[in-house]
Amino acid sequence: MKNIVNTKPLITSTVKKKYLKNVENILHSQNLILGEYTKKLEESVKQFTGSRHAAALSSATSAIEVILKYIDVEGKEVIMPSNTFISPVYAVNNAKGKVVLCDINLDDFNMDLTSLKKAVTTNTKAVIITYIAGKIPRNIFEIKAFCDKNDLFLIEDASHAFGAEIDGHKAGSIGFAGVFSMYPTKIVTCATGGVITTNDHELIKFCELLRHHGNEGSLNKVLSGDMLLSEFNALLGYLQIEEAAEILKVRRQIFNFYKEHLQPIFQKNGLYFQEDESNSISSFYKIIVMAKSKEQCEAIRKHLQEGNINTGHCYGVPLHLQPTLREEYGAASLPNAEKFSQSHFTLPCHLDLSEKDLTYIAMKCKQALEHV
């Protein structure tokens, strides 16, 4: 029987043809970095997000690090939710800041504003908000107003959220700066890479300096590493963005299929999808289902796995319980982050799923609930 994976990159035949044709341009130009396609990638991200400026780097981790160094968080606190990836922690450490963790809510699984407010001190400099599974929180403008009032830099970790929007505002254009990941499984991919978006021209100039060892010609202005994206990666990302609208459309159709066929039985059994409002558009990077208990979640996952359906997670271990951070943060009281990590799973969502696949997945979900 066919194995249905949870997520996978899909490069369309159109993109493949364009890529192979344009690779020749790169090779003939002998311009392998900071060339035509890096500029095209940056311009397309600007246009898609409505931001004034964009800069491409080797990874989203590098992008976060550059922003934090620009606003100078050395010796300062940077708040982030505990259910996020480890890379922002690494970026804060490299920028010589101090990580502070806050809790999430259990509706859309994003940062909880009350927990954020409690975490702020006179030493707080920035807030990194993760748009979980591509969903901008319903109260993002309230969070932004709180940050503005308290002179905090709001950084949007929109790694999951390319193309997401709320009230007409695209992810990456709401806070001081946004960060997109272009890792293989993301909405659009460069294979590897990241992009900063911002309205602050000086941040972009700083990024352009740091991403190439901090050099201006033969002079080193700032000690920094190599954070460059190759032209080959930039070309793939640029071509993927040309298809982003269709990619997002298909991902929403997948979610709508699951919602139509599963929401009634989910509600009956105490499960629910990530909150989705009419004034916002998720990228549906992942389709999260919250179970009523750890035991119910594990039983459903096991049943689906036996049917060759791979479920996933959206940060199965919160940061404060990670082996590398448990000693420092393990005593933190973050009950929602812990409950979420134990009791959620993600359904398959990628562009290689057929209607037959989706029908089979829905059927197996229903069967699972008959046995738990």
Short mmCIF file of all heavy atoms in Angstrom, two decimals, residues 224-251:
data_model
loop_
_atom_site.label_atom_id
_atom_site.label_comp_id
_atom_site.label_asym_id
_atom_site.label_seq_id
_atom_site.Cartn_x
_atom_site.Cartn_y
_atom_site.Cartn_z
N SER A 224 31.96 39.06 11.10
CA SER A 224 30.76 38.28 10.80
C SER A 224 31.13 37.07 9.96
O SER A 224 32.23 36.99 9.41
CB SER A 224 29.73 39.15 10.06
OG SER A 224 28.53 38.44 9.85
N GLY A 225 30.19 36.16 9.84
CA GLY A 225 30.42 34.96 9.05
C GLY A 225 29.89 35.09 7.64
O GLY A 225 29.56 36.18 7.17
N ASP A 226 29.82 33.96 6.97
CA ASP A 226 29.29 33.89 5.61
C ASP A 226 27.83 33.46 5.70
O ASP A 226 27.54 32.33 6.09
CB ASP A 226 30.11 32.89 4.80
CG ASP A 226 29.60 32.73 3.37
OD1 ASP A 226 28.51 33.27 3.05
OD2 ASP A 226 30.28 32.06 2.58
N MET A 227 26.91 34.35 5.36
CA MET A 227 25.49 34.05 5.40
C MET A 227 24.85 34.20 4.02
O MET A 227 23.67 34.47 3.90
CB MET A 227 24.79 35.00 6.39
CG MET A 227 25.36 35.00 7.79
SD MET A 227 24.51 36.19 8.85
CE MET A 227 25.53 36.15 10.31
N LEU A 228 25.65 34.00 2.99
CA LEU A 228 25.17 34.25 1.64
C LEU A 228 24.33 33.08 1.10
O LEU A 228 24.56 31.92 1.42
CB LEU A 228 26.36 34.47 0.70
CG LEU A 228 27.13 35.77 0.91
CD1 LEU A 228 28.41 35.75 0.08
CD2 LEU A 228 26.28 36.96 0.54
N LEU A 229 23.38 33.44 0.27
CA LEU A 229 22.58 32.47 -0.47
C LEU A 229 23.15 32.39 -1.88
O LEU A 229 23.42 33.42 -2.51
CB LEU A 229 21.13 32.95 -0.52
CG LEU A 229 20.09 31.98 -1.09
CD1 LEU A 229 19.88 30.81 -0.13
CD2 LEU A 229 18.77 32.70 -1.34
N SER A 230 23.34 31.18 -2.40
CA SER A 230 23.88 31.06 -3.75
C SER A 230 22.83 31.46 -4.78
O SER A 230 21.62 31.43 -4.52
CB SER A 230 24.34 29.63 -4.02
OG SER A 230 23.23 28.81 -4.37
N GLU A 231 23.27 31.79 -5.96
CA GLU A 231 22.36 32.12 -7.06
C GLU A 231 21.48 30.92 -7.44
O GLU A 231 20.33 31.10 -7.85
CB GLU A 231 23.15 32.58 -8.29
CG GLU A 231 23.66 34.00 -8.20
CD GLU A 231 22.52 35.00 -8.36
OE1 GLU A 231 22.13 35.32 -9.50
OE2 GLU A 231 22.00 35.46 -7.32
N PHE A 232 22.00 29.72 -7.28
CA PHE A 232 21.23 28.52 -7.61
C PHE A 232 20.03 28.38 -6.66
O PHE A 232 18.93 28.04 -7.09
CB PHE A 232 22.12 27.27 -7.52
CG PHE A 232 23.31 27.34 -8.42
CD1 PHE A 232 24.58 27.58 -7.91
CD2 PHE A 232 23.18 27.16 -9.79
CE1 PHE A 232 25.68 27.65 -8.73
CE2 PHE A 232 24.28 27.23 -10.64
CZ PHE A 232 25.54 27.47 -10.11
N ASN A 233 20.28 28.63 -5.37
CA ASN A 233 19.19 28.59 -4.40
C ASN A 233 18.19 29.72 -4.64
O ASN A 233 16.97 29.53 -4.57
CB ASN A 233 19.74 28.69 -2.97
CG ASN A 233 20.62 27.52 -2.61
OD1 ASN A 233 21.84 27.61 -2.73
ND2 ASN A 233 20.04 26.44 -2.17
N ALA A 234 18.72 30.90 -4.90
CA ALA A 234 17.85 32.07 -5.12
C ALA A 234 16.95 31.86 -6.33
O ALA A 234 15.77 32.24 -6.32
CB ALA A 234 18.70 33.33 -5.30
N LEU A 235 17.49 31.25 -7.38
CA LEU A 235 16.70 30.99 -8.58
C LEU A 235 15.52 30.09 -8.26
O LEU A 235 14.38 30.36 -8.68
CB LEU A 235 17.59 30.33 -9.64
CG LEU A 235 16.87 29.73 -10.86
CD1 LEU A 235 16.08 30.79 -11.61
CD2 LEU A 235 17.87 29.04 -11.80
N LEU A 236 15.74 29.02 -7.50
CA LEU A 236 14.65 28.11 -7.16
C LEU A 236 13.58 28.84 -6.35
O LEU A 236 12.38 28.69 -6.61
CB LEU A 236 15.18 26.91 -6.37
CG LEU A 236 14.12 25.89 -5.93
CD1 LEU A 236 13.37 25.31 -7.13
CD2 LEU A 236 14.77 24.76 -5.12
N GLY A 237 14.00 29.64 -5.37
CA GLY A 237 13.04 30.38 -4.57
C GLY A 237 12.23 31.37 -5.38
O GLY A 237 11.01 31.48 -5.23
N TYR A 238 12.89 32.07 -6.27
CA TYR A 238 12.23 33.04 -7.13
C TYR A 238 11.16 32.36 -8.00
O TYR A 238 10.03 32.85 -8.13
CB TYR A 238 13.28 33.74 -7.99
CG TYR A 238 12.74 34.45 -9.20
CD1 TYR A 238 11.88 35.54 -9.08
CD2 TYR A 238 13.10 34.03 -10.48
CE1 TYR A 238 11.38 36.19 -10.20
CE2 TYR A 238 12.62 34.68 -11.61
CZ TYR A 238 11.75 35.76 -11.46
OH TYR A 238 11.26 36.39 -12.57
N LEU A 239 11.51 31.22 -8.58
CA LEU A 239 10.56 30.50 -9.42
C LEU A 239 9.41 29.93 -8.60
O LEU A 239 8.26 29.88 -9.07
CB LEU A 239 11.27 29.38 -10.19
CG LEU A 239 12.30 29.84 -11.22
CD1 LEU A 239 13.03 28.64 -11.82
CD2 LEU A 239 11.64 30.67 -12.32
N GLN A 240 9.69 29.50 -7.38
CA GLN A 240 8.62 28.99 -6.51
C GLN A 240 7.63 30.10 -6.16
O GLN A 240 6.41 29.86 -6.12
CB GLN A 240 9.24 28.43 -5.23
CG GLN A 240 9.87 27.07 -5.39
CD GLN A 240 8.97 25.97 -4.89
OE1 GLN A 240 8.66 25.89 -3.71
NE2 GLN A 240 8.54 25.10 -5.80
N ILE A 241 8.13 31.31 -5.93
CA ILE A 241 7.24 32.42 -5.58
C ILE A 241 6.31 32.75 -6.74
O ILE A 241 5.16 33.17 -6.52
CB ILE A 241 8.05 33.64 -5.12
CG1 ILE A 241 8.73 33.33 -3.78
CG2 ILE A 241 7.16 34.88 -4.98
CD1 ILE A 241 9.69 34.38 -3.31
N GLU A 242 6.77 32.53 -7.96
CA GLU A 242 5.89 32.74 -9.12
C GLU A 242 4.65 31.85 -9.04
O GLU A 242 3.60 32.19 -9.59
CB GLU A 242 6.65 32.46 -10.42
CG GLU A 242 7.67 33.53 -10.80
CD GLU A 242 8.24 33.30 -12.19
OE1 GLU A 242 8.23 32.14 -12.66
OE2 GLU A 242 8.69 34.28 -12.81
N GLU A 243 4.76 30.72 -8.34
CA GLU A 243 3.64 29.78 -8.21
C GLU A 243 3.00 29.81 -6.83
O GLU A 243 2.15 28.98 -6.50
CB GLU A 243 4.13 28.36 -8.52
CG GLU A 243 4.61 28.18 -9.96
CD GLU A 243 4.86 26.73 -10.32
OE1 GLU A 243 4.95 25.89 -9.40
OE2 GLU A 243 4.93 26.43 -11.52
N ALA A 244 3.41 30.77 -5.99
CA ALA A 244 2.98 30.78 -4.60
C ALA A 244 1.47 30.89 -4.44
O ALA A 244 0.88 30.23 -3.58
CB ALA A 244 3.66 31.92 -3.84
N ALA A 245 0.83 31.71 -5.25
CA ALA A 245 -0.62 31.88 -5.13
C ALA A 245 -1.34 30.54 -5.34
O ALA A 245 -2.28 30.20 -4.61
CB ALA A 245 -1.12 32.92 -6.12
N GLU A 246 -0.90 29.77 -6.33
CA GLU A 246 -1.52 28.47 -6.59
C GLU A 246 -1.19 27.48 -5.48
O GLU A 246 -2.05 26.68 -5.07
CB GLU A 246 -1.04 27.92 -7.94
CG GLU A 246 -1.66 26.59 -8.34
CD GLU A 246 -3.17 26.63 -8.50
OE1 GLU A 246 -3.71 27.73 -8.75
OE2 GLU A 246 -3.81 25.56 -8.36
N ILE A 247 0.04 27.52 -4.98
CA ILE A 247 0.44 26.65 -3.87
C ILE A 247 -0.46 26.89 -2.66
O ILE A 247 -0.98 25.96 -2.04
CB ILE A 247 1.91 26.90 -3.49
CG1 ILE A 247 2.84 26.39 -4.60
CG2 ILE A 247 2.26 26.23 -2.16
CD1 ILE A 247 4.29 26.80 -4.43
N LEU A 248 -0.68 28.15 -2.33
CA LEU A 248 -1.52 28.51 -1.18
C LEU A 248 -2.96 28.10 -1.41
O LEU A 248 -3.65 27.64 -0.48
CB LEU A 248 -1.41 30.01 -0.91
CG LEU A 248 -0.04 30.48 -0.42
CD1 LEU A 248 0.09 31.99 -0.57
CD2 LEU A 248 0.18 30.08 1.03
N LYS A 249 -3.43 28.25 -2.62
CA LYS A 249 -4.81 27.85 -2.96
C LYS A 249 -5.02 26.36 -2.73
O LYS A 249 -6.02 25.95 -2.12
CB LYS A 249 -5.10 28.21 -4.42
CG LYS A 249 -6.48 27.78 -4.90
CD LYS A 249 -6.64 28.09 -6.39
CE LYS A 249 -7.96 27.55 -6.93
NZ LYS A 249 -8.09 27.82 -8.40
N VAL A 250 -4.08 25.55 -3.17
CA VAL A 250 -4.21 24.10 -3.02
C VAL A 250 -4.15 23.70 -1.55
O VAL A 250 -4.92 22.85 -1.09
CB VAL A 250 -3.12 23.36 -3.82
CG1 VAL A 250 -3.13 21.87 -3.53
CG2 VAL A 250 -3.31 23.61 -5.31
N ARG A 251 -3.27 24.33 -0.78
CA ARG A 251 -3.16 24.00 0.64
C ARG A 251 -4.45 24.33 1.38
O ARG A 251 -4.88 23.59 2.26
CB ARG A 251 -1.95 24.71 1.26
CG ARG A 251 -0.62 24.32 0.63
CD ARG A 251 0.56 24.96 1.32
NE ARG A 251 0.95 24.19 2.49
CZ ARG A 251 1.89 23.25 2.50
NH1 ARG A 251 2.54 22.96 1.40
NH2 ARG A 251 2.17 22.60 3.61
#
